[in-house]
């Protein structure tokens, strides 16, 4: 099983290990594209703070993020699983997983990134600020930039098993599973169901959506679940107590759509 996750804007304030070694990152086929993004981002942030803030969509209060980007090559690093600290990662709580579940997480979780393309949770990277929605002056929109490199690398990473896609829309732009890979991909959204005047209404709640996805992945890892396809994933999630509504693809070469329906927000 390969689980595709978005990154988070929230990150550890600093690294605590050796500087970045690009050659040590997973998915080496992405190395040339990573180097190009890193080079342009560092140069931009060193040359013109105001322009860098504009390009990155940062407020004046976040000007310090530009300085971090300027020092990416020499900054300390952390495993990606420790670096990201947003809602999804708080709920996933990798640090508290028992050893076997942690090994499963290391093998199956893949975090998408505007800067790195995609990394595994054990890859050591420095704190950075560069979302997939950024348009760099030289490389253009990163969502489009990453499509070609991802297309040549991700199918191999997916192997022959299930692909569980929990990414947000900005990150799905970088890679859309196709053909046979798509047929064993399940894209998940979380819906909050409320009954108002006897009528059920459903809505997507951003914060809770992320938290539920984090808990869902954690529960699968702890259970040692290894569903081979979307239909078996639905069974596994229902066995774990989730309410899941599945929609198989209308035609071949498209992913499954799963709605996880919840009635409580926490």
């Amino acid at each position: 099983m390969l689980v595709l996750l978005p990154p988070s804007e929230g990150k550890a304030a600093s690294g605590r290990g050796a500087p970045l070694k690009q050659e040590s990152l997973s998915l080496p086929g992405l190395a040339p594209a990573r180097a190009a993004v890193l080079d342009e981002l560092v140069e931009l942030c060193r040359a013109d703070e105001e322009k860098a803030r504009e390009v990155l969509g940062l407020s004046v209060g976040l000007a310090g993020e530009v300085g971090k980007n300027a020092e990416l090559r020499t900054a300390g690093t952390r495993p990606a699983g420790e670096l990201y600290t947003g809602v999804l990662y708080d709920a996933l709580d990798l640090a508290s997983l028992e050893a076997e579940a942690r090994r499963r997480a290391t093998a199956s979780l893949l975090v998408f990134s505007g800067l790195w393309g995609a990394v595994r949770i054990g890859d050591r990277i420095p704190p950075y600020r560069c979302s997939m929605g950024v348009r760099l002056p030289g490389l253009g929109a990163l969502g489009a930039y990453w499509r070609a490199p991802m297309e040549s690398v991700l199918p191999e990473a997916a192997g022959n098993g299930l692909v569980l896609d929990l990414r947000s829309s900005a990150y799905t732009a970088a890679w859309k599973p196709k053909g046979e890979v798509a047929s064993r991909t399940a894209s998940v959204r979380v819906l909050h169901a409320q009954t108002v005047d006897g009528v059920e209404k459903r809505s997507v709640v951003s914060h809770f959506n992320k938290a539920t996805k984090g808990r869902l992945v954690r529960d699968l890892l702890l259970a040692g679940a290894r569903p081979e396809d979307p239909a078996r994933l639905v069974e596994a999630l229902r066995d774990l107590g989730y309410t899941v509504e599945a929609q198989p693809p209308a035609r071949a070469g498209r992913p499954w759509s799963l709605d996880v329906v919840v009635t409580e927000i926490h």
Side-chain angles (χ1 to χ4, degrees):
M1 179 172 66
L2 184 68
V3 182
L4 310 182
L5 299 176
S8 66
E9 294 292 351
K11 299 178 182 71
S14 64
R16 60 183 184 184
L20 174 69
K21 294 181 180 178
Q22 294 187 62
E23 67 277 8
S24 71
L25 298 180
S26 301
L27 309 179
L30 298 178
R34 286 171 176 152
V37 178
L38 179 63
D39 286 347
E40 182 168 351
L41 182 61
V42 170
E43 181 179 352
L44 171 68
C45 292
R46 285 182 175 177
D48 188 331
E49 179 182 306
E50 185 174 348
K51 182 179 180 181
R53 283 198 299 103
E54 179 182 350
V55 169
L56 296 172
L58 302 177
S59 66
V60 174
L62 292 173
E65 300 296 298
V66 175
K68 287 183 181 179
N69 282 349
E71 303 302 325
L72 282 170
R73 291 194 183 90
T74 57
T77 58
R78 290 175 181 262
E82 295 180 12
L83 183 74
Y84 297 111
T85 60
V87 174
L88 187 154
Y89 293 90
D90 288 345
L92 178 53
D93 195 10
L94 289 166
S96 70
L97 290 177
E98 59 188 25
E100 187 57 37
R102 181 62 185 245
R103 283 192 287 272
R104 288 192 285 268
T106 299
S108 62
L109 304 188
L110 196 65
V111 185
F112 274 60
S113 163
L115 174 53
W116 311 113
V119 293
R120 296 194 183 275
I121 62 168
D123 288 337
R124 299 191 67 93
I125 53 177
Y128 68 96
R129 192 67 171 248
C130 185
S131 72
M132 194 66 80
V134 164
R135 179 182 293 273
L136 291 175
L139 298 177
L142 291 176
Y145 170 81
W146 281 110
R147 285 173 197 159
M150 292 288 192
E151 186 61 32
S152 65
V153 171
L154 265 293
E156 181 179 352
N160 297 315
L162 170 73
V163 178
L164 174 54
D165 192 350
L166 302 178
R167 296 172 297 166
S168 53
S169 59
Y171 291 88
T172 60
W175 183 60
K176 296 182 185 298
K178 298 177 182 178
E180 190 273 333
V181 177
S183 69
R184 48 188 167 84
T185 296
S187 178
V188 175
R189 67 174 179 172
V190 179
L191 297 178
H192 178 216
Q194 293 177 292
T195 301
V196 180
D197 297 328
V199 178
E200 184 182 84
K201 297 183 177 180
R202 295 181 176 184
S203 60
V204 176
V205 183
S206 178
H207 181 283
F208 184 60
N209 171 59
K210 295 174 184 177
T212 300
K213 287 180 176 178
R215 286 192 287 269
L216 180 152
V217 174
R218 180 181 176 85
D219 288 344
L220 288 171
L221 293 171
L222 288 173
R226 295 180 179 178
E228 298 175 356
D229 55 44
R232 289 180 175 83
L233 172 64
V234 172
E235 295 175 1
L237 290 174
R238 287 174 177 167
D239 287 345
L240 289 169
Y242 289 92
T243 299
V244 183
E245 297 176 356
Q247 183 176 347
R251 60 179 184 270
R254 295 292 182 90
W256 284 53
S257 297
L258 306 186
D259 287 340
V260 175
V261 183
V262 297
T263 57
E264 297 181 0
I265 293 179
H266 59 90

